[in-house]
Structures are given as structure tokens and as C-alpha cells.
């Protein structure tokens, strides 16, 4: 035999992100935030991001709760950091689709370490744990897009005034 099974590998990745979370703490430049609570499990995520030039320049989180929720936040943050907005939205939809069982893990290889949470799709009670950080990121992306939209409107309105 030798080597690890896929399940063991996934368990190892999850524990690594839980024990050594990436992107912890919110840099001062993070001007868009979202705080979410999962009342089912008591998980919390406070997420902050900063977009610059259409890319996710900074991302950081603080939180507490179960290993799935915190590892998921770490995987999400390290995966999405530096990516353009369109790719961030694509990654969110890939992850949500995988957890809800709408997409097969083998169809979303872009999720990298976050693939280790694929097993959660078989445990409905834990889905919210895995999704919490990604929902917070979705909220932040919506806020960023609204700010952009308002900026565009200002540009359009100003010449006439
Ligand atoms: Zn949880």
C-alpha cells in the first residue's frame, strides 16, 4: 500500500488550515467587511477585503468555531487573494455548487485545497459551517460592486451638473 487515501489527504489538509490558518487578521486597508454567524454551530467569521484595480488585493478574517468553518475561511482567503473579481465570483459559485451537491468535486479542480471539504455535501447539518466564510465573501463582493456602480453613476452625472 503506502501513501495516503484521498480521504486521509483531505483530512490532513483540513487540519493544517485549521491549525495554521492563512490570511488571519484584517489589514487596515480592508475597507469592505462582512460578519456572519452560524447559529446552528456557533461559528463566527469577520471578513475584510480590499479591491484594487479589479482584483482582490487584500483579504483577512478572524473567527471562531468548528474546524470546518475556520479551515474553510482559511482555504477561501488564500485561494481568492490576488484574483480578479470575475474569478473570485467563479470560485464562490464553484464552492457553493460543490457543497450543495450541484457540482461534482472532479468538475471544480480550481478549488484546490477547498476540495478537501467536498465530503461536507453528505452532511447537511455541516453545510452552513463550510459555506459561512464564502457567504461573507459573497456579501463583500456585492458591496464592492455596489460601490463601483455608484462611482460609475457619479462619473455619468457630473458632466451634466
Ligand atoms: Zn461549524
Amino acid at each position: 500500500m503506502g501513501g495516503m487515501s484521498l480521504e486521509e489527504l483531505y483530512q490532513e489538509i483540513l487540519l493544517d488550515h485549521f491549525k495554521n490558518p492563512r490570511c488571519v487578521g484584517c489589514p487596515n486597508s480592508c475597507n469592505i467587511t462582512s460578519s456572519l454567524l452560524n447559529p446552528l454551530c456557533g461559528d463566527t467569521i469577520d471578513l475584510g477585503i480590499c479591491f484594487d484595480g479589479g482584483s482582490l488585493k487584500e483579504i483577512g478574517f478572524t473567527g471562531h468555531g468548528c474546524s470546518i468553518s475556520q479551515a474553510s475561511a482559511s482555504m477561501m482567503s488564500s485561494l481568492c487573494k490576488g484574483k480578479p473579481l470575475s474569478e473570485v465570483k467563479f470560485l464562490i459559485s464553484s464552492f457553493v455548487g460543490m457543497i450543495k451537491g450541484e457540482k461534482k468535486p472532479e468538475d471544480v479542480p480550481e478549488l484546490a485545497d477547498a476540495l478537501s471539504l467536498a465530503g461536507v455535501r453528505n452532511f447537511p447539518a455541516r453545510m452552513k459551517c463550510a459555506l459561512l466564510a464564502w457567504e461573507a465573501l459573497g456579501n463583500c463582493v456585492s458591496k464592492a460592486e455596489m460601490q463601483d456602480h455608484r462611482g460609475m453613476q457619479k462619473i455619468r452625472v457630473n458632466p451634466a451638473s
Side-chain angles (χ1 to χ4, degrees), residues 35-45 64-66 68-70 124-133 135:
S35 298
L36 290 181
L37 163 73
N38 170 16
L40 298 174
C41 187
D43 310 315
T44 66
I45 295 289
H64 62 258
C66 70
I68 290 175
S69 69
Q70 303 305 305
R126 307 308 299 277
M127 283 181 187
K128 184 77 181 173
C129 303
L131 290 172
L132 193 67
E135 284 174 8

Side-chain angles (χ1 to χ4, degrees), residues 18 49 101 113 118 130:
F18 181 56
I49 67 165
D113 280 5

